[in-house]
Amino acid sequence: MYLKLCKTNLLQNVRKQFRNYHSDNVFGFKRKNKPVYNASDQVLKTQCDQSNFFRLVTAFRQHAHKTADVNPVTLTREITISPDLDPKRYCLETDTQVKFTGILNTTKSEGTVAEAVDFLRHVYGKNIAVEFTHLENPEEIDWFCNRIEQLVPEETNTETKLRLGTELLRSQNFDNFLANKFTGVKRYGGEGAESMMGFFSEFFRLAAEDNIEQLVVAMPHRGRLNLLTGMLNFPPVKMFAKLKGKSNFPDKYQVTGDVLSHFVSSTDLKFADNKNLHVTLLYNPSHLEAVNPVSMGKTRAKQLENRDGDYGDRRWGDKIVNLQVHGDAAITGQGVNQECLALSGTPHYEIGGSIHLIVNNQLGFTTPADRGRSSRYCTDLAKMISAPIIHVNGDFPEMVLKATKLAFEYQRKFRKEVFIDLNCYRQWGHNELDDPTFTNPSLYGIIRSRGTVPDQYTKKLIEEGVLNEEEKNTIIKEHTKWLNEHLKAVETYKPDDVYFKNQWEGFSQAEETITRWDTGIHLDLLTYIGSKSVQFPEHFNVHPTLLKTHVKNRLARVAEGVNIDWSTAETLALGSLLYEGYNVRISGQDVGRGTFSHRHVMLVDQQTNHIYIPLNNLHENQNSFLEIANSILSEEAVLGYEYGMSIESPKNLIIWEAQFGDFFNGAQIILDTFVSNGEVKWLWSSGLVVLLPHGYDGAGPEHSSARIERFLQMTDSKEDKVDGDNVNMQVCHPSTPAQYFHLLRRQMVRNFRKPLIVIGPKTLLRLPEATSNFADMAPQTTFQPVITDNTHDPKQIQVILFTSGKHFYNLVSKRQSLGVKNVAIVRLESYCPFPTLELQQEVAKFSNAKIFVWCQEEPQNMGAWSFVKPRFENLVGRKIQFCGRPTQAAPAVGIGELHDLQVSEILSKPFSFEI
């Protein structure tokens, strides 16, 4: 409890007494003779001493971190004393007697101010320092005060010291072994940061004791190999084989692989009392911090499977926990971290609070910390979500264990984010082949002149009698022997086949052939789902506009089975998948209603603000659900999150919708390093769907184009070879609601998973011509990669226009207005896989056609033209011409008159070719 300051009138009486005593105190009076107090004055003085003592203690809790000795390689060893921590600032002398009870958490009930300051410096200002007074919840602040003041003075037992020392020695020996056996290899070792092994050892043990079942870990390069071989049951032979150029995947898989420092493990760790913990260390690209949202999404998907949090009756994180490891420069410099923290406490993205370990090398590549950020600490980002921060000196491994325990206990109690700032150093440069003295001579002068963390700690243990020299040598010798045995086994090493197991049983990589899947469903089920999709409780107050334009119109459409618009087709696809037992999640900005107010899969009561999702009430025994995740204004973190959910289980249809197609730009790193090549690098299968609204409607440069060309460039489609299902990802541009319906269902009914990029509509969402009928979604129907033109006699056709999406309807309208009958308009619905066979059949069907034209809305240097042209000419065997906007820098123009002129040109030119 906070002690109230003395009332003003009483304090004035005490001031009179203090004037003759205090020299440089807060009142500024000179020392004279020591005053004589009567009984009432003494009571007042004691009360004020207690009040001021509390202010002093509070100052230590708030400011001591600024002068704490947490940097193992500081350029100066001088520890400054903050004036905020001077007892005289609070009218206190060092020999003043004060009561500790209710203010300090010590074993003593009272003592002198000097004794209290010694205790406070030991707890808050030496090798561990905390920032927690910025927390908004008083309960959390009180908890931190109590727990750290109990924990820091505790003695570490002998068993823990021995375990810790062993881990540090093995980590150092592993790095030495690789340096000797594989010279010239970038391994991003843990030298200088070996104390992180103490963190992992303690964290895993605590998690198992707390009955956590699974831990999902995101981690960069530094110390990764040490962790894998030291604690995560990763066989060193697999690593050594990689270093010798061998593949770590069985031959039957189509992979390109990845670098050594991205290796992973998914393993069960066993502890005392039959406690087990499954740890999954995720693959990470070299793009810093990009794996963090992926790890959060995978954690959430595991929580879905295990019914944690809102998915069941437990708290978030009861069984599944997320751990993120960062570099100091990366957590400061990479914006995805801010996005992840902004996500961490929001509905549909909450996972119960991640634990963050920052391996603070005090360097970013070669940039020192004072040039790498504008804030005091690399962890200051944590304050945006009121998360506590624990700074610890890596030279003191036992303090690292205490920091770990403090962070773990906080997360378990409050289920919130917490950060550990492990201050350490890099023994070498950015990697083992780099010379850091080029740019940081002073820092590396200190590093080169000091002993290593494992050596310093084992020396301490030997001095304490916990370990002797012979035992130390035995630990190193046995570990070296074990590593040598694995090195000898390289020549006979065969990678284990651990892929497509457990929840992925029955799935495999796609084959080189193209398969067709019956994705239609029975007409009665279509009617049932369509009608249920707009049903709501009796006293639920639906918006009157939705009652008229959404509910009434949909009921009419599904009753007749005609004029099915885009949102209804989507609802039918999702509802049917839910009916069949798949989970569906749609994520993005305002996806519940849709950017263009077309979806409305969630209804909001206009009086209570309660949300109702009709598709989650299809039938009484429904056990799969639609999750509408209206996200923060983020792309990279949100898309990474959804990708993480998609790789966990093939039974989850995960959809991310960009507000406009070009919004994916903010998530380009996720697309480049995960979505487009996660399978060929790591054998991660993903059925993620990315919806990108696209269309040139005069909206200007930023909201017209989904940059189709970028996605097509990212595919591994061949220009001179027929594509199969095994392309790295699908890029489709459906022109009808039924086509979209089949695409969504096909994502789940196949025995393999591939990412799907859907170039989606804007104006087609409500265009009467762009509707479908139930017959287009009935059994024996499927997605058509190419849609032919049956409006005219094929023998009369002399020109074939090939196009996609919205532009088809514009061309049809123009052809009708011109009365042209010798031009066919064929729709290319799938760019990748490129539909070679179907296009060959179209050319054969229109046997008299002489001119073949690709028509697009996009400029010539954008869109699908550069992708379609070589494939059409090489595989279909016909020269093809271009009709579209001229080459330009911006995706679209922002001048209305110029836009109208371009529209006129791209619609007239296709019908002006001379035969």
Side-chain angles (χ1 to χ4, degrees):
M1 295 294 293
Y2 283 77
L3 297 178
K4 295 182 179 179
L5 295 175
C6 301
K7 292 183 178 179
T8 304
N9 59 338
L10 296 178
L11 184 57
Q12 288 174 346
N13 291 333
V14 177
R15 283 177 178 174
K16 294 177 182 178
Q17 300 289 340
F18 282 3
R19 286 176 184 173
N20 297 325
Y21 181 68
H22 289 289
S23 56
D24 297 316
N25 58 52
V26 293
F27 302 115
F29 298 115
K30 299 295 183 180
R31 178 191 294 266
K32 293 185 179 180
N33 296 325
K34 189 173 182 178
V36 178
Y37 299 104
N38 58 36
S40 61
D41 289 338
Q42 186 63 45
V43 170
L44 291 175
K45 179 181 181 300
T46 301
Q47 290 175 344
C48 286
D49 284 345
Q50 285 299 123
S51 176
N52 289 334
F53 176 58
F54 179 77
R55 293 170 62 202
L56 173 64
V57 172
T58 300
F60 266 91
R61 291 166 176 165
Q62 185 172 358
H63 300 293
H65 65 87
K66 299 174 185 176
T67 58
D69 185 14
V70 293
N71 187 347
V73 289
T74 182
L75 297 179
T76 173
R77 299 312 302 176
E78 295 180 6
I79 304 298
T80 58
I81 303 300
S82 170
D84 294 304
L85 309 183
D86 186 354
K88 291 183 179 181
R89 185 179 180 88
Y90 308 96
C91 305
L92 296 170
E93 295 293 328
T94 55
D95 60 352
T96 303
Q97 286 284 328
V98 288
K99 292 181 179 179
F100 296 166
T101 303
I103 299 178
L104 281 181
N105 295 283
T106 71
T107 56
K108 297 179 64 176
S109 60
E110 62 182 40
T112 66
V113 169
E115 290 174 319
V117 168
D118 287 343
F119 175 79
L120 290 167
R121 290 198 190 285
H122 178 66
V123 171
Y124 293 104
K126 292 192 74 174
N127 309 128
I128 191 170
V130 290
E131 294 182 85
F132 63 91
T133 55
H134 60 279
L135 301 180
E136 297 177 1
N137 183 351
E139 181 187 359
E140 295 177 37
I141 296 176
D142 289 344
W143 181 90
F144 242 99
C145 296
N146 294 332
R147 193 64 190 103
I148 191 170
E149 291 169 14
Q150 295 167 358
L151 183 62
V152 171
E154 288 180 1
E155 284 293 325
T156 304
N157 63 48
T158 300
E159 180 184 355
T160 300
K161 289 180 179 180
L162 188 57
R163 170 170 55 87
L164 178 57
T166 301
E167 292 295 350
L168 297 182
L169 284 171
R170 287 176 176 170
S171 178
Q172 179 171 263
N173 189 58
F174 174 78
D175 282 322
N176 291 340
F177 185 88
L178 287 187
N180 290 329
K181 300 295 184 180
F182 299 94
T183 57
V185 171
K186 298 178 183 179
R187 50 189 167 79
Y188 302 96
E191 293 113 316
E194 290 92 349
S195 286
M196 80 167 85
M197 303 305 288
F199 164 84
F200 287 121
S201 175
E202 182 74 355
F203 188 84
F204 294 159
R205 183 186 65 81
L206 292 170
E209 288 181 355
D210 199 54
N211 297 313
I212 292 172
E213 295 177 356
Q214 296 191 57
L215 186 65
V216 179
V217 184
M219 183 182 184
H221 308 59
R222 178 125 157 84
R224 188 185 188 94
L225 303 183
N226 304 63
L227 174 62
L228 283 167
T229 58
M231 297 184 195
L232 297 185
N233 301 323
F234 188 90
V237 63
K238 187 174 182 179
M239 188 180 303
F240 299 150
K242 176 70 174 179
L243 284 166
K244 289 182 176 291
K246 297 179 179 292
S247 173
N248 53 297
F249 297 99
D251 293 338
K252 67 179 182 178
Y253 294 113
Q254 304 170 43
V255 291
T256 58
D258 200 1
V259 297
L260 176 70
S261 53
H262 296 170
F263 269 13
V264 299
S265 178
S266 184
T267 187
D268 290 311
L269 305 183
K270 300 186 182 301
F271 297 88
D273 300 324
N274 294 319
K275 300 282 188 178
N276 293 328
L277 175 68
H278 187 83
V279 180
T280 302
L281 176 63
L282 299 186
Y283 284 109
N284 67 301
S286 292
H287 280 74
L288 302 174
E289 309 291 317
V291 70
N292 297 334
V294 177
S295 75
M296 294 169 67
K298 189 172 178 69
T299 301
R300 175 98 181 188
K302 286 180 175 290
Q303 291 172 339
L304 167 62
E305 188 69 22
N306 289 271
R307 297 297 186 236
D308 260 14
D310 292 345
Y311 297 124
D313 300 325
R314 298 195 291 251
R315 293 179 68 191
W316 287 115
D318 266 11
K319 297 299 179 184
I320 322 293
V321 172
N322 179 237
L323 168 64
Q324 296 176 35
V325 185
H326 313 267
D328 52 314
I331 194 170
T332 302
Q334 297 297 307
V336 68
N337 292 312
Q338 178 179 338
E339 295 183 26
C340 286
L341 293 181
L343 272 180
S344 62
T346 59
H348 306 289
Y349 299 92
E350 180 183 4
I351 55 175
S354 300
I355 293 94
H356 301 262
L357 172 69
I358 293 87
V359 181
N360 192 341
N361 303 307
Q362 306 180 70
L363 278 177
F365 192 50
T366 66
T367 303
D370 62 344
R371 299 189 182 189
R373 60 177 181 266
S374 299
S375 58
R376 179 189 293 270
Y377 298 117
C378 65
T379 51
D380 284 337
L381 189 66
K383 295 176 184 176
M384 67 174 275
I385 58 165
S386 188
I389 303 148
I390 307 162
H391 307 279
V392 63
N393 191 324
D395 268 1
F396 297 85
E398 291 173 23
M399 280 298 183
V400 174
L401 296 193
K402 292 177 181 180
T404 305
K405 191 170 185 179
L406 183 64
F408 180 83
E409 290 178 0
Y410 173 86
Q411 191 273 344
R412 298 318 291 157
K413 182 171 180 61
F414 298 104
R415 302 299 162 91
K416 291 180 61 180
E417 312 283 309
V418 59
F419 289 74
I420 297 177
D421 176 21
L422 175 60
N423 287 264
C424 52
Y425 60 93
R426 289 198 311 238
Q427 184 69 39
W428 312 112
H430 175 64
N431 57 68
E432 289 73 17
L433 308 184
D434 179 43
D435 187 349
T437 62
F438 292 152
T439 51
N440 295 279
S442 298
L443 176 62
Y444 273 85
I446 296 172
I447 292 172
R448 295 287 187 260
S449 64
R450 54 162 287 150
T452 68
V453 175
D455 287 347
Q456 289 179 345
Y457 187 63
T458 52
K459 180 182 178 181
K460 173 179 177 290
L461 296 185
I462 291 171
E463 291 173 351
E464 293 177 355
V466 175
L467 190 69
N468 59 46
E469 197 70 36
E470 183 179 351
E471 290 170 332
K472 169 189 170 183
N473 293 334
T474 299
I475 292 171
I476 297 172
K477 183 178 179 180
E478 290 180 352
H479 188 247
T480 303
K481 179 183 177 182
W482 177 68
L483 292 172
N484 274 317
E485 289 172 352
H486 278 266
L487 183 59
K488 292 177 183 177
V490 168
E491 298 306 320
T492 58
Y493 170 72
K494 296 292 182 185
D496 293 331
D497 189 357
V498 296
Y499 307 97
F500 299 105
K501 308 294 184 183
N502 302 319
Q503 68 267 36
W504 287 89
E505 194 72 41
F507 289 81
S508 63
Q509 281 194 293
E511 301 292 337
E512 291 187 13
T513 57
I514 291 287
T515 55
R516 295 285 181 266
W517 297 81
D518 179 3
T519 47
I521 57 177
H522 198 277
L523 299 182
D524 289 343
L525 184 57
L526 288 171
T527 303
Y528 175 79
I529 293 171
S531 60
K532 292 289 285 186
S533 72
V534 287
Q535 286 186 11
F536 49 88
E538 182 179 355
H539 300 293
F540 195 88
N541 301 288
V542 177
H543 195 288
T545 300
L546 292 185
L547 282 174
K548 185 185 303 182
T549 63
H550 177 65
V551 177
K552 182 179 178 181
N553 288 349
R554 177 166 293 178
L555 289 173
R557 289 190 180 99
V558 299
E560 299 176 6
V562 297
N563 298 323
I564 303 301
D565 62 4
W566 210 272
S567 65
T568 303
E570 179 184 72
T571 299
L572 295 173
L574 301 184
S576 65
L577 292 172
L578 292 168
Y579 197 86
E580 294 169 8
Y582 298 101
N583 292 305
V584 179
R585 174 181 163 103
I586 306 177
S587 173
Q589 296 147 22
D590 293 319
V591 290
R593 50 155 276 181
T595 296
F596 307 99
S597 194
H598 64 284
R599 182 172 286 124
H600 299 297
V601 286
M602 55 173 269
L603 302 175
V604 181
D605 190 296
Q606 296 300 295
Q607 293 184 10
T608 66
N609 220 45
H610 291 163
I611 293 173
Y612 183 77
I613 300 177
L615 287 181
N616 285 338
N617 296 274
L618 290 176
H619 57 86
E620 291 183 0
N621 299 321
Q622 186 171 343
N623 57 11
S624 53
F625 299 96
L626 169 64
E627 184 172 12
I628 302 300
N630 288 319
S631 75
I632 66 171
L633 195 63
S634 155
E635 284 78 42
E636 182 178 0
V638 172
L639 181 57
Y641 196 105
E642 305 311 321
Y643 177 79
M645 291 202 72
S646 73
I647 61 175
E648 170 60 22
S649 172
K651 293 185 178 180
N652 298 333
L653 176 61
I654 308 297
I655 303 172
W656 177 71
E657 181 177 62
Q659 192 176 109
F660 289 93
D662 56 326
F663 275 36
F664 80 86
N665 282 326
Q668 191 68 58
I669 289 175
I670 302 299
L671 292 162
D672 285 346
T673 59
F674 288 103
V675 177
S676 65
N677 53 37
E679 181 178 346
V680 296
K681 288 193 297 189
W682 310 316
L683 274 179
W684 272 359
S685 289
S686 167
L688 177 71
V689 177
V690 177
L691 302 181
L692 304 175
H694 175 89
Y696 282 60
D697 309 314
E702 266 72 61
H703 293 332
S704 296
S705 177
R707 292 289 194 174
I708 298 170
E709 66 278 1
R710 293 189 184 174
F711 292 94
L712 295 178
Q713 186 183 43
M714 282 191 284
T715 70
D716 59 359
S717 171
K718 309 295 190 298
E719 291 185 359
D720 55 357
K721 184 179 178 181
V722 176
D723 288 338
D725 287 334
N726 62 333
V727 292
N728 64 325
M729 62 181 182
Q730 311 151 97
V731 183
C732 298
H733 197 167
S735 63
T736 72
Q739 287 282 83
Y740 178 48
F741 167 90
H742 289 298
L743 278 175
L744 292 178
R745 286 191 46 77
R746 191 180 70 172
Q747 280 297 96
M748 303 308 288
V749 304
R750 298 188 295 196
N751 63 347
F752 60 88
R753 294 288 179 264
K754 289 286 181 180
L756 170 63
I757 310 299
V758 177
I759 309 302
K762 293 188 291 184
T763 58
L764 299 191
L765 294 172
R766 295 180 176 85
L767 186 69
E769 292 82 5
T771 58
S772 300
N773 300 329
F774 274 0
D776 303 318
M777 309 175 199
Q780 307 305 312
T781 59
T782 188
F783 174 74
Q784 302 176 60
V786 173
I787 299 180
T788 190
D789 186 349
N790 292 320
T791 56
H792 300 291
D793 182 357
K795 294 181 180 179
Q796 294 181 354
I797 300 300
Q798 296 177 302
V799 178
I800 306 178
L801 307 182
F802 294 92
T803 191
S804 293
K806 161 183 171 281
H807 200 43
F808 164 77
Y809 296 96
N810 296 334
L811 290 171
V812 168
S813 177
K814 185 66 173 180
R815 181 179 64 178
Q816 185 175 356
S817 67
L818 294 174
V820 174
K821 296 186 178 180
N822 66 341
V823 176
I825 306 174
V826 176
R827 282 170 275 177
L828 186 64
E829 302 280 294
S830 170
Y831 297 123
C832 183
F834 191 72
T836 300
L837 176 61
E838 289 82 357
L839 290 174
Q840 289 174 341
Q841 291 171 342
E842 289 300 303
V843 170
K845 173 183 175 182
F846 301 107
S847 56
N848 293 326
K850 300 294 188 294
I851 297 176
F852 306 91
V853 183
W854 174 255
C855 299
Q856 66 179 37
E857 290 191 297
E858 302 80 18
Q860 188 169 1
N861 58 323
M862 303 176 195
W865 166 242
S866 60
F867 181 87
V868 169
K869 182 180 187 296
R871 286 161 181 78
F872 191 90
E873 293 182 349
N874 293 339
L875 301 174
V876 182
R878 298 290 192 278
K879 290 291 182 181
I880 191 167
Q881 302 181 56
F882 174 79
C883 276
R885 284 174 166 80
T887 298
Q888 58 190 43
V893 299
I895 301 170
E897 291 181 353
L898 182 54
H899 170 76
D900 293 340
L901 179 62
Q902 288 185 344
V903 169
S904 176
E905 289 179 351
I906 65 174
L907 290 179
S908 299
K909 187 176 179 180
F911 301 98
S912 62
F913 286 96
E914 295 184 5
I915 307 302

